[in-house]
Amino acid sequence: MEACIARYRSSANSLLSQYEPIVLVVGPLLALLVAKVLHSIVCLLQEKGIKGVVLGFGMGAVKLIPGVNSYIESEKKKVVEQLQARSGSKDGWRTELPDIGLGREVIEYLGDAKNKDGVWQGKCSGTVYIGGSQSEGHFSLTNEAYSLFSHTNPLHPDVFKSVVRFESEVVAMAAALLGSKEKSSGGQICGNMTSGGTESIILAVKTSRDYMKAKRGIKKPEMIIPESAHPAYDKAAQYLNIKVCRVPVNKEFVADVKGIRRCINNNTILIVGSAPGYPHGIIDPIEELGELASSYGVCFHVDLCLGGFVLPFARQLGYSIPPFDFSVKGVTSISTDVHKYGLAPKGTSIVLYRNHEIRKHQFVAVTEWSGGLYVSPTVAGSRPGGLIAGAWGAMMSLGLPGYLENTKKIMEASKNIQKGIEEIQGLFVIGKPHMTVVAFGSNDVNIFEVNDQMSSKGWHLNAMQRPDSLHICVTLQHVPVFEDFLRDLKESAKTVKENPGPISGGSAPIYGAAGKMPDRGIVRDLLVEFMDNSC
């Protein structure tokens, strides 16, 4: 053995003796550098694709041309100013405390400011889900429930036992709607209330990350989302340092199961489906995604923020609703918003888990704080007990009959709107909506110019891309006015067809330009600049 080693050593020394010592030192370092560059290029191609990388380098080169970068910056500033103008001026905004407190007089100021807000009654896509006005009926009831508990905080369970109980009951009632009574759910559905769908999603992602790290030792987590999934997943990825694999939807505008399967690897912690997806109101193939997640042993989150308090009742009313809840094998977590069609006050959502083993990874426990032992279930420490009481009051006051009646109204209004849009020349409905979101586009007119015409009539719709389109999220506010909406939409489409071109102060040029801009980094910069000037 020693003779063999000596022979190999002699051969190596003989081979290397013909090279300069500096070459032998620098050579391996250069090889490592080349390997690192190649690895970075491969990672960049995986993240952005060949087209994205080529565009990125191309735009970077163009910006090096003298004067180009300053021109881009000046144009960006103009666009931000246009967007800012649509949001209103900050002139007159208070920057210091008043020298003398206003006392009860402040209520008058609040009322005056509220009266200057835009008209939302029946005119906004989504936004306000409760029917009627704030001074009557269910609206008034939830406001009163909130005011009774506005001082409470479930962070202090020994003091505010009532809101702790209310939260537990809200979660249990929601779980019962979403499959907890089915044998296939496992009988351990649990969860917590949050401030909204975004927090529910962030918590579900965080929990999935930590659960998969404990279960399989994954240290470089990745999640797979359809491009129709809510931006809350991107926010969660940025906050939690998780890589996102975004998969285009298929020709039916739902999650592409085959495309998602191709993205699964050893670092995958989570795949996502929506019921329905926010852009088009279409339910992803939850059963197929659940089977996929189960077969690969990864978590599967279903975004029911919009549909959680509609789909169970729509199914009872006889609508054809595909499976979407914990009765589906593979579903590990669900988010659902009580402040949407649960008709609770704004700022109430729920995140649910299949069992306690998973949910335990949501919590943060701190043992070494000088202030004592600390444990918190959600992102927020202190939470408004008034909102919990408002959600409990909403659910208890409506009960099963109330939710069934409301669901019948909004589903019927949605189907009437869908049918009405299909009858308007030049417009078409995107996909086959399952619920109360109806998206529509046009091959004949600029759909964003149609949006500007609708805005001039007081309507607030949602502008979308890929494809260029608009959607209306139908609420109880729209039930008495859906015929007005269809009339105004027909007139707007006709106006644009007869007189194409942007209207003064409209957003069509901005949306159109943003959709066609190849450098998405510039679009992102525009959004950030706008937000930085708005808050």
Side-chain angles (χ1 to χ4, degrees):
M1 184 68 179
E2 290 181 3
C4 183
I5 293 173
R7 189 167 58 251
Y8 278 120
R9 182 186 296 117
S10 177
S11 298
N13 288 335
S14 176
L15 178 65
L16 295 173
S17 65
Q18 57 187 305
Y19 297 101
E20 292 289 335
I22 188 65
V23 173
L24 297 178
V25 173
V26 173
L29 295 177
L30 286 175
L32 285 173
L33 180 62
V34 170
K36 186 173 182 179
V37 170
L38 288 174
H39 180 263
S40 298
I41 291 173
V42 170
C43 290
L44 195 61
L45 287 170
Q46 288 178 334
E47 182 181 351
K48 297 185 176 182
I50 295 177
K51 183 179 178 182
V53 171
V54 172
L55 279 172
F57 279 117
M59 290 302 299
V62 169
K63 289 178 182 178
L64 293 175
I65 299 173
V68 169
N69 210 40
S70 58
Y71 173 77
I72 291 174
E73 290 301 317
S74 66
E75 290 301 305
K76 281 164 55 176
K77 185 178 180 181
K78 290 178 184 177
V79 173
V80 170
E81 288 173 352
Q82 283 182 271
L83 291 169
Q84 196 70 44
R86 293 175 58 83
S87 302
S89 170
K90 287 186 176 181
D91 292 342
W93 285 23
R94 184 174 291 278
T95 58
E96 296 180 352
L97 284 169
D99 294 332
I100 301 176
L102 301 180
R104 291 292 302 175
E105 189 181 344
V106 76
I107 299 299
E108 294 182 22
Y109 280 85
L110 289 170
D112 290 341
K114 179 175 176 288
N115 291 333
K116 294 174 184 176
D117 286 344
V119 177
W120 52 264
Q121 289 89 341
K123 291 283 188 176
C124 293
S125 172
T127 310
V128 180
Y129 293 79
I130 302 173
S133 71
Q134 291 175 279
S135 60
E136 61 185 16
H138 186 78
F139 235 138
S140 176
L141 181 144
T142 58
N143 289 340
E144 187 174 350
Y146 174 88
S147 67
L148 286 171
F149 290 85
S150 63
H151 61 289
T152 64
N153 181 357
L155 186 64
H156 305 284
D158 55 329
V159 180
F160 303 116
K161 299 176 183 179
S162 55
V163 291
V164 172
R165 170 196 155 199
F166 293 154
E167 176 177 12
S168 180
E169 291 184 358
V170 166
V171 169
M173 288 188 284
L177 290 175
L178 301 176
S180 67
K181 294 183 178 180
E182 302 293 331
K183 285 186 178 180
S184 55
S185 74
Q188 290 191 46
I189 307 301
C190 53
N192 295 91
M193 289 189 68
T194 71
S195 63
T198 293
E199 186 186 353
S200 291
I201 286 170
I202 290 173
L203 285 171
V205 173
K206 185 265 184 195
T207 303
S208 300
R209 182 197 66 177
D210 293 355
Y211 174 68
M212 292 299 288
K213 183 178 180 180
K215 183 180 178 183
R216 287 174 40 184
I218 296 175
K219 296 181 180 179
K220 294 183 177 180
E222 300 180 16
M223 64 177 171
I224 307 169
I225 67 174
E227 66 177 12
S228 57
H230 195 276
Y233 296 99
D234 295 273
K235 185 180 285 189
Q238 289 187 34
Y239 287 171
L240 303 171
N241 195 26
I242 296 172
K243 181 179 177 181
V244 174
C245 178
R246 183 176 282 98
V247 179
V249 294
N250 63 22
K251 61 182 180 180
E252 279 82 36
F253 297 95
V254 297
D256 181 0
V257 179
K258 292 182 180 178
I260 289 175
R261 181 184 287 110
R262 287 193 293 269
C263 286
I264 296 177
N265 59 40
N266 291 332
N267 289 322
T268 301
I269 59 164
L270 176 70
I271 61 177
V272 168
S274 303
Y278 169 84
H280 310 117
I282 306 173
I283 297 174
D284 285 330
I286 302 301
E287 275 191 315
E288 293 178 62
L289 291 173
E291 183 178 342
L292 183 64
S294 181
S295 65
Y296 280 91
V298 300
C299 295
F300 176 33
H301 180 77
V302 180
D303 182 354
L304 273 161
C305 289
L306 193 59
F309 283 84
V310 174
L311 295 177
F313 307 116
R315 177 182 284 168
Q316 290 188 48
L317 291 169
Y319 287 93
S320 179
I321 305 294
F324 58 85
D325 57 19
F326 282 112
S327 63
V328 176
K329 180 182 178 181
V331 174
T332 52
S333 58
I334 283 175
S335 53
T336 183
D337 287 356
V338 202
H339 66 206
K340 288 190 172 72
Y341 292 109
L343 305 183
K346 285 296 180 187
T348 50
S349 179
I350 301 170
V351 58
L352 297 168
Y353 300 95
R354 183 170 287 274
N355 55 51
H356 291 271
E357 180 188 0
I358 299 173
R359 186 179 68 152
K360 286 177 183 177
H361 294 275
Q362 173 183 292
F363 305 150
V364 172
V366 180
T367 61
E368 305 308 308
W369 179 39
S370 58
L373 300 177
Y374 179 91
V375 63
S376 176
T378 63
V379 173
S382 293
R383 291 183 292 152
L387 291 177
I388 294 173
W392 186 88
M395 294 173 72
M396 292 295 290
S397 67
L398 289 169
L400 179 60
Y403 281 116
L404 285 171
E405 181 183 351
N406 289 331
T407 300
K408 182 179 180 181
K409 289 178 181 177
I410 56 174
M411 289 295 287
E412 287 178 352
S414 301
K415 296 305 177 184
N416 285 327
I417 286 176
Q418 181 179 339
K419 181 181 177 182
I421 292 173
E422 290 170 342
E423 293 173 351
I424 297 175
Q425 187 175 1
L427 301 185
F428 60 85
V429 172
I430 295 177
K432 297 178 180 178
H434 286 105
M435 214 184 80
T436 53
V437 171
V438 184
F440 54 95
S442 176
N443 292 323
D444 296 342
V445 296
N446 184 318
I447 199 66
F448 298 133
E449 291 179 11
V450 173
N451 189 33
D452 283 343
Q453 291 292 335
M454 291 294 285
S455 295
S456 70
K457 300 177 188 294
W459 295 95
H460 300 270
L461 306 180
N462 298 101
M464 301 183 296
Q465 58 184 354
R466 299 173 186 172
D468 290 348
S469 52
L470 308 175
H471 91 200
I472 180 170
C473 177
V474 182
T475 72
L476 287 171
Q477 291 286 332
H478 298 117
V479 171
V481 298
F482 76 85
E483 291 178 336
D484 298 337
F485 169 77
L486 290 171
R487 183 192 66 243
D488 287 348
L489 181 59
K490 185 176 181 179
E491 290 178 0
S492 296
K494 182 181 178 182
T495 299
V496 173
K497 187 170 185 179
E498 293 175 350
N499 301 283
I503 64 175
S504 177
S507 62
I510 297 172
Y511 279 109
K516 296 173 183 176
M517 199 173 290
D519 187 349
R520 307 311 290 172
I522 291 180
V523 180
R524 179 193 174 278
D525 290 345
L526 286 172
L527 294 175
V528 171
E529 288 290 336
F530 167 68
M531 182 55 63
D532 190 48
N533 283 279
S534 301
C535 64

